[in-house]
């Protein structure tokens, strides 16, 4: 809540509260431009999951549309830098 994603500070604060560090943290999120990008910037591995519910607001639907374009057009080597695909 109000973590300021994708700013790194929110991720660092959460890891400090849990007593962990980026090397031992896996972040799970449903948005590339906030959840996943922020986690990767903080040095954490990240897994992109499908959203639980459909977004109603036009802004979020537009953002999901852009995410689909990024995933389709992005070369696999770049995807690995953005997402943790479970292939290490």
């Amino acid at each position: 809540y109000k973590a300021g994603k994708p700013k790194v500070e929110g991720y660092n604060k959460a890891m400090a509260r849990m007593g962990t560090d980026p090397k031992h943290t896996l972040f799970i999120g449903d948005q590339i431009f906030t959840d996943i990008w922020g986690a990767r910037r903080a040095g954490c591995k990240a897994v992109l999951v499908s959203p639980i519910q459909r977004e109603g607001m036009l802004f979020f639907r537009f953002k999901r549309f852009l995410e689909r374009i990024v995933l389709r057009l992005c070369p696999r080597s770049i995807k690995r830098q953005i997402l943790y695909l479970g292939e290490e």
Side-chain angles (χ1 to χ4, degrees):
Y1 174 72
K2 294 195 178 190
K5 297 180 285 186
K7 294 180 183 174
V8 174
E9 294 81 16
Y11 294 88
N12 290 336
K13 185 177 178 183
M15 287 186 282
R17 286 187 73 179
M18 292 184 285
T20 187
D21 59 33
K23 183 179 177 184
H24 297 97
T25 301
L26 174 68
F27 190 88
I28 300 171
D30 68 345
Q31 296 182 49
I32 292 175
F33 300 129
T34 53
D35 302 334
I36 305 304
W37 186 36
R40 298 298 291 151
R41 289 179 62 215
C44 302
K45 291 182 179 179
V47 174
L48 180 66
V49 297
S50 298
I52 294 173
Q53 68 185 89
R54 184 176 158 88
E55 301 291 350
M57 294 178 58
L58 184 60
F59 171 75
F60 289 107
R61 289 195 320 231
F62 180 69
K63 196 162 66 163
R64 296 280 187 209
F65 173 74
L66 292 177
E67 289 175 344
R68 285 193 301 272
I69 291 172
V70 167
L71 286 176
R72 264 192 219 125
L73 298 178
C74 192
R76 188 171 177 91
S77 61
I78 301 297
K79 280 184 195 176
R80 283 196 183 113
Q81 293 174 23
I82 299 170
L83 308 172
Y84 170 65
L85 300 173
E87 299 174 352
E88 288 188 331

